[in-house]
Amino acid sequence: MSKASIEAYARALFEIAEAEGHVDIVENELFRVARAFESNEQLRSTLTDATIPADRRQNIVDQLLGGKASNTTTQLVSLVVGSGRSKDLPAIIDTLVKRASSEKELEVAEVRSAVELSADQQKRLAAALTKATGKQVNLKVVVDPAVIGGLVATVGDEVIDDTVRTRLEQLKSRI
Amino acid sequence: MIVRAFSLLAAEDPTVTHSWLLPETAEIIYGGLASILVFGLLYKFAGPLAKKALVARTERIQKELDGAAQARTSSETDAADIRKTLGDIDSERTRLLAEADAQAAALIVDGRTRIASEIADLEAKAAADLVAAQGRGAEELRSEISLLASRAVPAVVQATLTDQTKQDLIEAFISSVGAMR
């Protein structure tokens, strides 16, 4: 899929979310869906399998997100899957998130953690990242057990990594 | 005279003799004459033949003697040649044996040198292989330990990392990021 098509899909989804009036919630939920899609091989292979009818793949999305995400989020993901663009779902969502952030003049800050962050931790972390990077950030937390412990934050091209996984990798290379 | 002699002989009785030992005088005379005649004829006619035969025999014998002498000389020459050849063969054999000995000695020396060189090479190669094997063994051991450690450490860390420690790490991260500028 071309970058222009991804941009077009992202713009369309953003406009739908904006029209529904809860962009922040949808944006957060879509971001989590994108990360789950990237990390879950079975989910990815199922949603991108062209031999499975589109309506069945959409049913899978409804079953997975029903009750856990907003109706708008579920419908937007279902729309992308139904149009046969499942493979580009993370790219479309990331573009949407960037667009939403730039609308608010924010920089997306993707933070990976082994455990959920509390609201207070997210608030303090966003403030710390804003101070460190000099940019207002739109914090997106991804729970990734592979991190083991600590956090890794990516703001634009800048990466601040203080995870146990990275330390173990360093230790491993030293060994 | 011959005729008279024959007539005398014819006139006498041959079976009667006057002496038991000696013949009659006439017999002696005629016999003597006849013998002289016979010997004379023999001398005249058979003598040259006999002499010739004797000369020829002498010549033949001489020739045989000469041939024998020549054969002897030839044999002696041959014997000398054979002796010389034997001498040459002996010297050739001696030379060949000496040459063979020299070649064998050179071969032995060369073989010993080559074997010594090969042994030295093999020892050097074995030593190098040993060192390499030791190095490989140590490297493999190190690699194995590293592999085991790299597999074990994450599991150990994950097993020992409590929720409180995870929260402490998050707080430490927030603090360190906040202190960056």
Side-chain angles (χ1 to χ4, degrees):
Chain A
M1 196 178 188
S2 68
K3 195 176 175 184
S5 300
I6 290 170
E7 289 277 358
Y9 269 87
R11 191 169 58 247
L13 296 187
F14 177 74
E15 283 170 5
I16 292 168
E18 201 172 33
E20 291 293 331
H22 33 257
V23 176
D24 289 348
I25 296 169
V26 171
E27 179 203 330
N28 277 326
E29 288 173 348
L30 284 176
F31 187 81
R32 286 170 183 264
V33 169
R35 301 293 80 83
F37 183 87
E38 282 176 336
S39 62
N40 192 320
E41 169 64 31
Q42 194 181 358
L43 176 65
R44 197 163 59 244
S45 63
T46 305
L47 295 184
T48 55
D49 190 348
T51 60
I52 300 173
D55 58 339
R56 187 153 172 218
R57 279 181 277 156
Q58 286 175 315
N59 279 337
I60 292 168
V61 170
D62 290 343
Q63 285 171 13
L64 285 173
L65 299 181
K68 293 177 188 169
S70 67
N71 200 29
T72 308
T73 301
T74 307
Q75 284 177 350
L76 289 178
V77 174
S78 184
L79 174 71
V80 175
V81 171
S83 63
R85 306 293 186 188
S86 304
K87 197 175 74 176
D88 300 306
L89 187 63
I92 291 168
I93 291 171
D94 287 345
T95 307
L96 181 148
V97 171
K98 273 185 190 171
R99 187 182 179 87
S101 299
S102 60
E103 286 277 325
K104 292 179 276 185
E105 295 182 344
L106 298 174
E107 185 79 22
V108 178
E110 183 185 308
V111 175
R112 287 181 176 268
S113 169
V115 291
E116 285 282 4
L117 299 185
S118 66
D120 177 54
Q121 282 173 328
Q122 287 190 34
K123 190 179 171 186
R124 283 187 289 117
L125 181 58
L129 287 171
T130 298
K131 190 181 169 192
T133 60
K135 298 168 189 170
Q136 291 294 320
V137 297
N138 179 9
L139 195 69
K140 301 291 176 196
V141 179
V142 181
V143 176
D144 183 0
V147 166
I148 302 174
L151 298 173
V152 53
T154 307
V155 184
D157 296 332
E158 201 171 344
V159 179
I160 305 166
D161 191 343
D162 192 20
T163 59
V164 173
R165 177 183 62 187
T166 304
R167 289 183 187 182
L168 285 175
E169 288 297 328
Q170 289 168 350
L171 177 67
K172 204 186 288 183
S173 63
R174 249 185 251 164
I175 290 171
Chain B
M1 191 173 70
I2 291 167
V3 174
R4 195 173 172 187
F6 276 116
S7 64
L8 282 173
L9 286 171
E12 287 188 48
D13 186 358
T15 60
V16 179
T17 59
H18 299 286
S19 169
W20 61 276
L21 181 63
L22 293 172
E24 295 298 323
T25 307
E27 281 182 16
I28 292 171
I29 293 166
Y30 297 135
L33 287 172
S35 295
I36 290 167
L37 181 67
V38 167
F39 282 119
L41 287 170
L42 282 171
Y43 180 77
K44 187 171 181 179
F45 296 106
L49 289 173
K51 194 176 180 182
K52 194 177 174 182
L54 283 172
V55 169
R57 185 169 174 268
T58 304
E59 283 177 355
R60 196 182 77 244
I61 290 168
Q62 187 60 48
K63 198 174 174 181
E64 286 177 357
L65 285 172
D66 290 347
Q70 194 176 354
R72 185 184 172 189
T73 306
S74 174
S75 298
E76 284 175 354
T77 307
D78 289 346
D81 287 346
I82 288 167
R83 273 194 294 276
K84 189 182 172 192
T85 306
L86 278 173
D88 290 347
I89 286 170
D90 283 345
S91 69
E92 182 67 13
R93 186 180 62 187
T94 307
R95 190 184 65 77
L96 287 172
L97 285 173
E99 195 175 318
D101 285 346
Q103 282 181 354
L107 201 65
I108 288 167
V109 170
D110 184 49
R112 280 181 183 156
T113 308
R114 190 164 46 79
I115 287 168
S117 168
E118 283 176 6
I119 288 169
D121 286 349
L122 286 171
E123 282 177 351
K125 190 174 177 300
D129 285 350
L130 193 64
V131 171
Q134 283 173 342
R136 264 201 313 277
E139 187 59 37
E140 281 170 11
L141 188 64
R142 204 175 298 130
S143 157
E144 189 69 21
I145 289 168
S146 302
L147 185 68
L148 290 172
S150 65
R151 281 179 186 166
V153 167
V156 171
V157 169
Q158 261 181 328
T160 54
L161 210 59
T162 61
D163 288 343
Q164 183 55 51
T165 312
K166 287 177 184 174
Q167 290 300 322
D168 290 346
L169 287 168
I170 290 166
E171 291 300 330
F173 181 87
I174 294 168
S175 299
S176 66
V177 171
M180 273 185 176
R181 277 195 187 174

